[in-house]
């Protein structure tokens, strides 16, 4: 698959208050496309991060050092994330299937949720390619 923005460290702004609940539906191992979340980063987003949204991995590693664990686990592993912190999907050799439930208080001009019309069209194009 081509590189996708989801493979790059970024953050999302879903609304004033939002919460993501993830459940791995397949076993997610070190070689899988596991999720990465940078602990504590939601409170350390800078104005420049807001403008560019995607931040180089080397810069995130420098800023957050050892707070970037891969999230792996057997099917059924559940974790909760504030998507306003840096996160991404590792580009592994094994796929993962994940259930993502998103709560958001409302949508606004800065929202770029997966449910936006533009995002769904792009997703459908990628799925057609593969
Ligand atoms: Fe995201």
């Amino acid at each position: 698959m081509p590189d996708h923005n989801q493979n790059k460290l970024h953050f999302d702004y879903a609304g004033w208050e939002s919460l993501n609940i993830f459940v791995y539906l397949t076993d997610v191992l070190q070689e899988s496309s596991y999720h990465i979340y940078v602990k504590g980063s939601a409170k350390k987003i800078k104005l420049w991060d807001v403008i560019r949204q995607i931040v180089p991995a080397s810069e995130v590693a420098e800023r957050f050092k050892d707070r970037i664990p891969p999230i792996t686990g057997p099917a059924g592993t559940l974790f909760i994330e504030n998507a306003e912190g840096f996160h991404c999907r590792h580009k592994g050799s094994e796929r993962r299937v994940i259930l993502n439930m998103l709560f958001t208080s409302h949508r606004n001009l800065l929202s770029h949720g997966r449910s936006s019309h533009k995002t769904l069209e792009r997703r459908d194009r990628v799925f057609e390619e593969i």
Side-chain angles (χ1 to χ4, degrees), residues 38 41 44-46 48-49 52 55 58-65 67-68 86:
V38 182
S41 60
K44 303 206 177 202
I45 299 294
K46 299 176 179 177
W48 179 227
D49 299 331
R52 58 185 169 165
V55 181
S58 58
E59 181 183 328
V60 173
E62 178 67 28
R63 286 167 61 185
F64 297 96
K65 310 222 182 303
R67 290 183 286 167
I68 314 172
F86 294 124

Side-chain angles (χ1 to χ4, degrees), residues 12-122:
D12 301 309
Y13 183 75
W16 292 118
E17 295 187 37
S18 65
L19 186 71
N20 270 287
I21 300 171
F22 295 106
V23 181
Y24 284 149
L25 301 180
T26 53
D27 292 340
V28 177
L29 310 171
Q30 285 294 325
E31 39 301 314
S32 306
S33 297
Y34 53 77
H35 194 76
I36 296 171
Y37 188 80
V38 182
K39 293 180 181 178
S41 60
K43 294 182 178 177
K44 303 206 177 202
I45 299 294
K46 299 176 179 177
L47 178 59
W48 179 227
D49 299 331
V50 174
I51 293 168
R52 58 185 169 165
Q53 293 194 322
I54 293 174
V55 181
S58 58
E59 181 183 328
V60 173
E62 178 67 28
R63 286 167 61 185
F64 297 96
K65 310 222 182 303
D66 58 348
R67 290 183 286 167
I68 314 172
I71 301 172
T72 58
T77 297
L78 181 148
F79 54 99
I80 298 171
E81 135 181 324
N82 176 352
E84 293 177 30
F86 294 124
H87 61 276
C88 70
R89 178 179 57 216
H90 172 70
K91 195 172 180 181
S93 58
E94 299 283 330
R95 74 176 190 157
R96 71 162 193 216
V97 179
I98 192 169
L99 171 67
N100 180 191
M101 294 173 277
L102 169 65
F103 164 79
T104 183
S105 57
H106 68 285
R107 298 188 63 78
N108 63 39
L109 292 175
L110 297 176
S111 295
H112 295 285
R114 293 188 183 129
S115 59
S116 74
H117 186 67
K118 189 175 172 183
T119 300
L120 291 174
E121 286 177 357
R122 186 174 58 229

